[in-house]
Amino acid sequence: MTAPTDARPRSGARVAVQKFGTALSNMVLPNIAAFIAWGLITALFIEAGWITLVGGLFGYEGGYGFVEHLGAWGAGAEGTGIVDPMIKYLLPLLIGYTGGRMMYDDTVRGGVVGAIATMGAITGADVPMFLGAMVMGPLGGWSMKRLDALWTDRIRPGFEMLVNNFSAGIWGMLLAIVGFLVAGPFVAAFSTAAESVVDFLVAHSLLPLTSVLVEPAKILFLNNAINHGVFTPLGTAEAAADGQSILFLIEANPGPGLGLLLAFMVFGAGQAKASAPGAALIQFVGGIHEIYFPYVLMKPKLILAVIAGGIAGVATNLIFGSGLRAPAAPGSIIAVLLQAPVSSLLGVILSVLLAAAVTFAVAAALLKLDRSGSDDLAGATADMERMKGKRSSVASALVGDGGTATATRTRPIDSIVFACDAGMGSSAMGASVLRRKIRDAGFADVTVVNRAISNLKDDADLVVTHQDLTERARQRTPSAVHVSVENFMDSPRYDEIVELLKAEAERGSGGDGAADGDRVPAAAGVAAAAGGAGVAPAAGGPGTAPAAGGDDTARAAADVARASGTAGAATATAPAGSLLAPESVVLDGTATARDEAITEAGRLLVAAGAVPESYVQAMHERERSVSTHMGNGLAIPHGTNEAKDQIRRTAISFVRYPGGIDWNGRPAEFVIGIAGAGNDHLQVLGKVAEIFTDPDQVARLRAATSAEEVQALLGGVDA
């Protein structure tokens, strides 16, 4: 066993880029309706728009006075029309206002100063000033906040309004001048250089290669930095000049995600195949691309499929000269078609279809060649995390910072927040699914809302995020319970949250000696895997033993065992009857592979009279959906939640494999089969967790020569 290690919060360039992308998206996404309005106005009223197209199709040869007036073209053009002022003034000012408000604690004062500063940048150049707005807006709000802090509580009573108004006006004036003299010309030069790079890529047919960077970046949740920081500003400027831009479809094309999910529908297995149809509908029609990220994270080689699809889509648009008038947000096929000019419809449709077809073909080939035998989301994600330098917490339903000890919560869970990068896509869908499950379980008083991570406040009781975003959420809500999910649509974590609420309700009624009103988790870590009713709460619990080998799974179970009053109680009273009979202990297992080991452990439970033979098949079904390998050489196979009704009484079995067996690429030396009819097996799991956090105890278990020694080590399992 390796020495215990301290887990450190994940940080570095990737988290910094995610935060930067979140800041950009928080300025753009609240105003996306304005972008859509501008795109529709452009599509309808410019000279080559939908109205003139329909008129031409019906042979109309008269004037378009009202249309010409709004679009500022033809004989009816008067003034500037509506298209150009919206892109030149309205959209940048909205972004600047939102950025300033965001940086000044969501106050109007910060937004107003940000808008004033942005106006200076707008008038300092002739190009659409989106990049300038993203700089001057936040700068205005942030700097105004710092200035206000200098004279807070020093203003004489009665002069507050005078000081506040004039300070904001004077500082806004100065920032507007800076924007006019510095930001405007700088952004104009930057835009010119960026457009030259894009023109070079287009001229040399290299633009499709951007998918090699864009598609992996999307999977790593860096898409907001790319889309809203690069493609939206440059694409909007290009669309203003040329009527459309291919840049709007590099990241937003729904084809690659659709093709990947279709491949899982046909060639996938287990939970991944079952959830793929619904995910495809949400991704393609709803425009929530995050829904397909877990499927790539589960099998990282599939990144080749979405890259190939992205290249095919961009190449198609390049060949047909097609693009969109405005950003397609969300990246739904409906939004894509609405923002496509008439002349680009064929190319845009083909780019989506070909991107989906190429992705499907490559993904299908990779899935058919896959010899892993199962679609293990949890196990594959753990392998991916190790490759990326992160600690594994494969069996922990709720994770903190990777290896930090967990503690018992002392207040009920009344508010749940589902958070994502921008707070408008995957979190809204996930919150809807979770809210329905919680209400169906009878907890109508528990609120479930969705927010952007940047808008989180430390007032939530429980926060749900994608596992790649959990660390950022913990930084903003350190006192909350944190749940990491891998599949927004059908995560088993949702059922575990419901089980937590049920356990807390039982505790609140006075059971188990808990104080009235306190909600205490029933189980986590090992217990979470054994039946889906386990949660690891917020960090900071005292007295937690570190996991051997740096694995934090057993540690989480030990913490919850302690919360349930079982940790450390080797002589605690167990439920009536024997949970681990001597006949259910095998010290030299005969299995040589995972499935054989599950069958061996399951048949011991059958022989003990605890379960029927059909329960063994349910143990295999559970393994195909979620791995029960806990780390430190331990696996705890058990049946599905649906199979609980088959359990006649709670029992466990113990099989030791001195040579070890392969369990989804990880070694397993100890296999403990579980049949838990209620919560009475949690005491045993607590003891197991304690053993596997202590290398000396594991060594004693490894050296045991009789079933009685094993029973003694798993103290308290007999009545």
Side-chain angles (χ1 to χ4, degrees):
M1 296 287 182
T2 59
T5 58
D6 295 329
R8 293 174 172 80
R10 185 169 56 89
S11 60
R14 178 165 166 250
V15 172
V17 174
Q18 283 184 347
K19 289 181 178 179
F20 177 67
T22 298
L24 296 177
S25 66
N26 286 341
M27 286 186 278
V28 175
L29 288 180
N31 301 305
I32 205 67
F35 279 85
I36 293 174
W38 172 78
L40 294 175
I41 289 172
T42 303
L44 289 171
F45 300 119
I46 64 171
E47 188 170 4
W50 285 91
I51 293 178
T52 57
L53 171 69
V54 173
L57 291 176
F58 286 93
Y60 178 72
E61 298 180 356
Y64 293 88
F66 176 70
V67 175
E68 294 173 357
H69 179 49
L70 289 176
W73 58 275
E78 295 181 11
T80 59
I82 192 174
V83 176
D84 186 64
M86 286 187 70
I87 190 174
K88 188 172 183 179
Y89 298 107
L90 175 64
L91 299 181
L93 284 174
L94 286 173
I95 291 174
Y97 175 85
T98 306
R101 183 165 182 163
M102 175 183 70
M103 295 302 293
Y104 197 161
D105 303 329
D106 199 29
T107 62
V108 173
R109 180 176 177 82
V112 170
V113 176
I116 296 172
T118 301
M119 189 64 191
I122 292 172
T123 55
D126 292 329
V127 299
M129 195 49 59
F130 295 101
L131 293 176
M134 292 178 180
V135 174
M136 297 305 297
L139 176 62
W142 176 83
S143 59
M144 193 71 251
K145 180 180 179 180
R146 292 295 181 270
L147 286 176
D148 283 346
L150 296 178
W151 48 71
T152 299
D153 300 327
R154 298 181 183 180
I155 305 173
R156 291 182 179 273
F159 288 85
E160 294 89 352
M161 183 175 293
L162 179 68
V163 173
N164 287 337
N165 286 339
F166 271 86
S167 61
I170 294 171
W171 186 242
M173 175 194 70
L174 295 175
L175 288 177
I177 294 172
V178 172
F180 182 86
L181 296 176
V182 179
F186 174 80
V187 171
F190 176 82
S191 298
T192 300
E195 289 170 8
S196 298
V197 172
V198 173
D199 290 341
F200 175 83
L201 295 175
V202 172
H204 293 80
S205 301
L206 298 176
L207 196 61
L209 296 181
T210 56
S211 295
V212 176
L213 299 176
V214 171
E215 295 301 332
K218 287 175 64 176
I219 304 302
L220 298 178
F221 287 90
L222 305 180
N223 50 313
N224 283 325
I226 295 173
N227 198 26
H228 301 305
V230 180
F231 293 147
T232 294
L234 295 180
T236 305
E238 184 177 340
D242 303 331
Q244 64 181 41
S245 175
I246 191 177
L247 300 179
F248 291 137
L249 270 175
I250 293 180
E251 188 268 346
N253 190 331
L258 176 65
L260 180 78
L261 294 170
L262 290 175
F264 270 98
M265 289 170 58
V266 179
F267 301 104
Q271 183 183 2
K273 181 174 184 176
S275 61
L281 180 66
I282 292 171
Q283 188 268 343
F284 192 63
V285 180
I288 302 176
H289 289 212
E290 289 91 340
I291 195 71
Y292 77 82
F293 295 177
Y295 296 84
V296 180
L297 295 174
M298 181 180 62
K299 297 182 181 294
K301 60 188 175 184
L302 292 178
I303 191 65
L304 298 175
V306 291
I307 288 175
I311 291 175
V314 178
T316 302
N317 283 317
L318 199 61
I319 293 172
F320 282 83
S322 50
L324 302 183
R325 296 192 189 277
S332 160
I333 185 61
I334 297 174
V336 168
L337 294 178
L338 285 176
Q339 297 293 9
V342 178
S343 59
S344 290
L345 272 177
L346 177 61
V348 168
I349 293 173
L350 286 176
S351 74
V352 174
L353 294 177
L354 290 176
V358 171
T359 303
F360 175 85
V362 177
L366 293 174
L367 289 173
K368 291 180 69 175
L369 292 174
D370 186 17
R371 303 298 183 184
S372 63
S374 69
D375 286 341
D376 178 11
L377 286 167
T381 302
D383 293 337
M384 178 272 298
E385 289 177 348
R386 285 195 297 272
M387 288 188 291
K388 290 159 56 178
K390 299 195 319 183
R391 292 166 55 88
S392 169
S393 54
V394 63
S396 180
L398 305 181
V399 296
D401 55 348
T404 305
T406 56
T408 302
R409 289 183 57 83
T410 59
R411 69 173 189 253
I413 292 180
D414 295 319
S415 63
I416 299 176
V417 176
F418 204 119
C420 71
D421 206 30
M424 297 183 68
S426 57
S427 66
M429 183 270 296
S432 178
V433 174
L434 180 58
R435 187 181 302 113
R436 184 168 56 252
K437 285 181 175 288
I438 288 176
R439 288 181 178 174
D440 289 346
F443 296 98
D445 58 331
V446 177
T447 62
V448 181
V449 299
N450 63 291
R451 293 179 187 167
I453 288 180
S454 61
N455 293 334
L456 287 176
K457 298 180 181 178
D458 198 16
D459 56 1
D461 299 316
L462 186 146
V463 177
V464 186
T465 55
H466 185 275
Q467 52 103 27
D468 268 358
L469 303 174
T470 300
E471 175 53 36
R472 289 170 54 200
R474 281 187 59 82
Q475 294 172 6
R476 304 190 69 90
T477 55
S479 64
V481 173
H482 283 264
V483 182
S484 292
V485 300
E486 298 147 338
N487 188 322
F488 294 116
M489 187 181 63
D490 188 27
S491 173
R493 303 289 84 84
Y494 300 157
D495 293 327
E496 292 165 9
I497 293 172
V498 172
E499 292 296 328
L500 169 63
L501 294 175
K502 292 180 180 178
E504 286 189 343
E506 294 173 359
R507 294 281 177 156
S509 64
D512 296 325
D516 287 345
D518 288 351
R519 292 180 180 174
V520 184
V526 175
V535 187
T544 302
D551 195 290
D552 57 357
T553 297
R555 176 179 20 235
D559 293 325
V560 177
R562 181 172 52 259
S564 302
T566 61
T571 60
T573 302
S578 176
L579 299 185
L580 178 62
E583 296 79 13
S584 299
V585 177
V586 175
L587 300 179
D588 192 5
T590 59
T592 59
R594 181 200 68 182
D595 290 347
E596 295 175 6
I598 294 174
T599 299
E600 187 168 8
R603 286 180 176 169
L604 290 173
L605 296 174
V606 174
V611 296
E613 185 69 30
S614 58
Y615 184 80
V616 179
Q617 181 59 36
M619 296 172 70
H620 286 282
E621 292 177 7
R622 172 74 181 204
E623 192 65 37
R624 283 193 290 269
S625 62
V626 180
S627 176
T628 57
H629 193 287
M630 298 289 101
N632 293 346
L634 170 67
I636 55 168
H638 50 275
T640 61
N641 289 337
E642 292 76 13
K644 279 190 173 183
D645 293 340
Q646 302 179 28
I647 300 174
R648 296 164 182 159
R649 67 175 180 86
T650 297
I652 65 171
S653 61
F654 177 92
V655 185
R656 186 179 66 189
Y657 298 95
I661 60 174
D662 178 80
W663 202 285
N664 295 335
R666 306 174 73 185
E669 185 178 355
F670 305 97
V671 176
I672 298 179
I674 299 172
N679 291 332
D680 45 1
H681 63 295
L682 296 181
Q683 180 178 329
V684 180
L685 294 180
K687 186 61 181 178
V688 171
E690 285 190 347
I691 288 177
F692 281 86
T693 59
D694 185 347
D696 293 334
Q697 291 277 69
V698 174
R700 291 176 60 192
L701 198 59
R702 184 178 292 116
T705 58
S706 67
E708 289 72 20
E709 287 184 65
V710 173
Q711 287 182 307
L713 284 169
L714 300 177
V717 301
D718 293 325

